[in-house]
Amino acid sequence: MTEPIETRAIFTKEDLIHTFKNCGLTEGQHIFVHTSLSKLGFVVGGPETLIRSLLEVVGEEGTLMMPSQTWKNLDPSTGVHWEAPMEWWPIIRENWPAYDKEITPAIGMGVVAEMFRKWPGAKRSDHPARSIAALGKHAEYLTKNHDLCNIFGKNSPLDKLYHLNGYVLLIGVGYDKNTSLHLAETIATFPGKKFVHESSAIMEEGTRKWVTYETQAVDDGDFVRLGDEYDKEMNIKIHRVGNAEVRFLEQRPLVDWAAAWMERNRV
């Protein structure tokens, strides 16, 4: 019986450092990273090795940021607890654990982001459903004062990265995972823009509270189409790293372009 042919690439930390530098990463940059580790291939040491390689590239003057969202901490009526029957919803509202940025696990962000938010020295923002984690020179600045009602807009972590002239690194994921496009949604003016009420469990002065807040509704349904057009118009280089497509993007030009695109294409 013949052994199956191995189709994965294998990477050491040194391999990844060399590869990321070839993609344009360099010391002192501030980068929002979205990654699917399995798409790369076999990374020796897994998520730890990937994080260490990125930290080594940006150095002490740089900053890494990753999503650490906890969107299960939203009202069941929004559909986040699709597996729970409606008669359980009041119990969930009364008992879902309050967000604790030291403990509450990220949901669906991948093994790299989950390890990153627990990394020594990492900071995490206070939003109970849409937090981000950061490590490095501007980690404190990026994560502080993440307003309940202003998840992705002015003075949010995304907006702060924008004003730092930051970058977006997509490793094995597409524009549908590009959180920075939500910042463009807050900037753009289009007829269908609306605001919704969301609810989450938080701790306030040592007491669990179920709070309701108003925030802009977001929609990633056109992000892939938008990204395809951005790649073509801006001649974005798509790197092939192992089994993954990798894009390294300047965040500010991307957000500005995306906001204008939304104003032309959204109804």
Side-chain angles (χ1 to χ4, degrees):
M1 185 176 178
T2 58
E3 291 189 12
I5 297 172
E6 180 59 72
T7 58
R8 296 172 299 169
I10 184 169
F11 294 96
T12 64
K13 187 182 79 169
E14 289 68 28
D15 293 332
L16 290 175
I17 290 170
H18 176 74
T19 297
F20 289 139
K21 286 181 177 180
N22 282 344
C23 292
L25 280 71
T26 190
E27 187 175 355
Q29 292 172 333
H30 314 297
I31 307 170
F32 197 0
V33 181
H34 303 270
T35 181
S36 172
L37 184 68
S38 62
K39 295 287 182 63
L40 279 172
F42 184 86
V43 175
V44 181
E48 176 187 349
T49 295
L50 179 58
I51 293 167
R52 289 189 185 280
S53 69
L54 290 168
L55 288 172
E56 194 161 322
V57 172
V58 301
E60 292 184 1
E61 292 299 304
T63 316
L64 296 181
M65 189 161 90
M66 294 191 195
S68 57
Q69 297 184 26
T70 54
W71 45 263
K72 287 276 189 181
N73 190 10
L74 288 170
D75 196 276
S77 63
T78 62
V80 297
H81 293 281
W82 62 86
E83 75 287 358
M86 190 180 296
E87 57 265 30
W88 291 0
W89 291 2
I91 300 172
I92 293 172
R93 291 188 187 106
E94 287 293 324
N95 294 279
W96 193 262
Y99 172 70
D100 183 332
K101 63 184 177 183
E102 302 297 333
I103 296 173
T104 308
I107 299 172
M109 302 294 110
V111 293
V112 177
E114 175 60 6
M115 175 173 276
F116 180 77
R117 66 111 186 152
K118 296 185 284 187
W119 200 269
K123 307 294 182 182
R124 192 180 188 187
S125 71
D126 285 322
H127 199 281
R130 307 293 187 184
S131 67
I132 64 97
L135 181 63
K137 183 174 183 179
H138 293 299
E140 181 74 28
Y141 164 72
L142 287 165
T143 55
K144 70 180 180 181
N145 301 327
H146 194 174
D147 188 76
L148 265 177
C149 299
N150 188 18
I151 299 172
F152 300 120
K154 189 171 177 60
N155 294 322
S156 69
L158 286 175
D159 182 60
K160 291 174 181 177
L161 184 68
Y162 177 97
H163 289 287
L164 287 174
N165 293 315
Y167 295 81
V168 174
L169 178 63
L170 304 176
I171 304 173
V173 298
Y175 282 93
D176 57 322
K177 304 296 185 185
N178 192 341
T179 309
S180 291
L181 296 179
H182 290 311
L183 174 59
E185 287 187 287
T186 71
I187 296 169
T189 300
F190 50 89
K193 181 179 284 197
K194 63 180 180 178
F195 290 79
V196 295
H197 287 93
E198 294 187 343
S199 300
S200 301
I202 66 167
M203 288 298 290
E204 193 173 89
E205 297 179 353
T207 302
R208 178 196 180 276
K209 293 186 177 180
W210 184 253
V211 296
T212 299
Y213 47 96
E214 185 181 57
T215 187
Q216 183 177 325
V218 294
D219 178 12
D220 61 6
D222 56 4
F223 283 8
V224 172
R225 177 185 158 211
L226 182 158
D228 286 343
E229 294 187 24
Y230 187 71
D231 283 348
K232 291 172 186 174
E233 185 171 321
M234 305 303 288
N235 196 27
I236 298 299
K237 185 171 183 178
I238 302 172
H239 305 270
R240 191 77 188 177
V241 179
N243 304 101
E245 288 187 348
V246 173
R247 292 172 174 83
F248 186 56
L249 312 164
E250 293 181 82
Q251 191 215 36
R252 184 189 284 257
L254 168 67
V255 168
D256 292 346
W257 187 96
W261 186 93
M262 290 173 186
E263 292 185 346
R264 293 193 307 271
N265 290 279
R266 287 193 171 185
V267 296

